[in-house]
């Protein structure tokens, strides 16, 4: 069974601070996706990384896939209250169809 | 496209009653997933279908839960009889494995179930 562990589970910071969320596994994944979920809604895809060592940037968000494709990180620069939400990482495996393994999530609160 | 549609958005029922949750996936998607989300256990995969066929139901908690996908545009998740510990938000998601498509899952807004 493939497992993804996210840390921290909860994070409360002030507007303007930087933060990093981690997603770790002992298993190799074909791809790693990050989703954000806002209250009352379903998760929405932010980014997909597929190559070991890959770095993708989405405005103030930087995503990195580990060289061995077992871990990933999400870094937010100058966090804003609009970044508040639940961040989920999800690993994909070409041998498992379109099934994804989701991490437990990081609940982020950015205070104005 | 309207996205994944789930109904009802909220359901409050009494213990022992039957509950049916409904999902309409995005047109053309060949994968459909049912998840349950709670604060304690996070997002759990219950079952998923490919081309209307159940592929993996190992996440279904027990025999009280059943899911069907009679056609490509409709799926149901049924709980009978319901218990208070079934209270959670249930999500349906769909994705496509067609050539050129990623395995991105598109989630519906969820059904918040409360069993009293």
């Amino acid at each position: 069974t493939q497992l993804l562990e996210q840390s921290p589970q909860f994070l409360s910071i002030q507007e303007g601070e930087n933060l990093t969320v981690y997603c770790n596994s002992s298993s190799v994944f074909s791809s790693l996706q990050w989703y954000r979920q806002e209250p009352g809604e379903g998760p929405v895809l932010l980014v997909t990384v597929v190559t070991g060592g890959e770095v993708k940037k989405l405005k103030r968000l930087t995503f990195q896939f580990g060289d061995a494709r077992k871990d990933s990180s999400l870094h937010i620069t100058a966090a804003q209250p609009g970044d508040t939400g639940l961040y989920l990482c999800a690993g994909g495996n070409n041998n498992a169809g379109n099934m994804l393994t989701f991490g437990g999530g990081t609940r982020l609160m950015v205070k104005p | 496209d309207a996205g994944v549609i789930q109904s009802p958005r909220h359901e409050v029922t009494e213990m022992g009653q039957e509950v049916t949750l409904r999902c309409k996936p995005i047109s053309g998607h060949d994968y459909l997933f049912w998840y349950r989300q709670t604060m304690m256990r996070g997002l759990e995969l219950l079952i998923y279908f490919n081309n209307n066929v159940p592929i993996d139901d190992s996440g279904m908690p027990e025999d009280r839960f059943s899911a069907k996908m009679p056609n490509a545009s409709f799926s149901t998740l049924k709980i009978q009889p319901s218990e208070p510990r079934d209270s959670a938000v249930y999500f349906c998601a769909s994705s496509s494995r067609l050539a050129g498509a990623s395995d991105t899952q598109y989630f519906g807004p969820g059904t918040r179930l409360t069993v009293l």
Side-chain angles (χ1 to χ4, degrees):
Chain A
T1 303
Q2 295 182 308
L3 295 174
L4 277 169
E5 293 189 2
Q6 287 188 239
S7 62
Q9 288 183 289
F10 300 95
L11 191 55
S12 179
I13 61 172
Q14 292 295 135
E15 181 176 0
E17 291 183 11
N18 302 331
L19 68 117
T20 302
V21 175
Y22 299 93
C23 177
N24 295 300
S25 176
S26 58
S27 304
V28 176
F29 289 96
S30 305
S31 65
L32 203 295
Q33 301 178 12
W34 284 92
Y35 290 77
R36 183 169 72 197
Q37 183 180 12
E38 298 188 17
E41 299 180 7
V44 176
L45 179 72
L46 293 173
V47 77
T48 300
V49 285
V50 297
T51 305
E54 183 176 1
V55 177
K56 280 192 175 179
K57 292 191 175 183
L58 187 66
K59 296 182 180 179
R60 295 176 293 100
L61 278 59
T62 301
F63 305 85
Q64 185 164 7
F65 202 10
D67 291 340
R69 289 186 287 129
K70 292 182 179 181
D71 55 85
S72 181
S73 64
L74 158 60
H75 182 80
I76 302 179
T77 303
Q80 299 178 0
D83 297 327
T84 293
L86 178 67
Y87 290 81
L88 295 159
C89 66
N93 191 320
N94 288 336
N95 297 326
N98 274 19
M99 190 181 77
L100 296 174
T101 299
F102 278 87
T106 294
R107 198 167 295 274
L108 171 66
M109 176 175 287
V110 182
K111 302 174 187 175
Chain B
D1 198 314
V4 175
I5 299 173
Q6 291 187 247
S7 65
R9 291 294 311 274
H10 302 274
E11 177 81 34
V12 179
T13 190
E14 293 187 345
M15 182 174 62
Q17 296 297 305
E18 177 181 295
V19 175
T20 300
L21 311 182
R22 298 173 176 80
C23 175
K24 177 178 168 54
I26 293 174
S27 177
H29 280 190
D30 54 342
Y31 280 84
L32 184 140
F33 304 83
W34 281 102
Y35 292 91
R36 178 173 66 178
Q37 187 177 43
T38 61
M39 286 292 290
M40 289 294 292
R41 302 174 68 92
L43 194 65
E44 301 174 277
L45 176 65
L46 300 177
I47 184 172
Y48 79 96
F49 297 82
N50 178 219
N51 291 321
N52 313 336
V53 176
I55 302 301
D56 186 345
D57 65 354
S58 60
M60 296 286 262
E62 47 198 274
D63 292 345
R64 297 185 297 106
F65 286 69
S66 62
K68 294 181 180 179
M69 192 165 185
N71 56 63
S73 59
F74 184 66
S75 178
T76 60
L77 177 68
K78 185 176 293 186
I79 308 173
Q80 166 64 16
S82 58
E83 297 182 2
R85 59 190 168 128
D86 301 331
S87 297
V89 181
Y90 290 80
F91 287 102
C92 175
S94 70
S95 69
S96 172
R97 194 67 166 179
L98 297 175
S102 70
D103 50 4
T104 302
Q105 293 188 11
Y106 296 84
F107 285 78
T111 294
R112 181 173 295 276
L113 173 64
T114 302
V115 184
L116 303 174

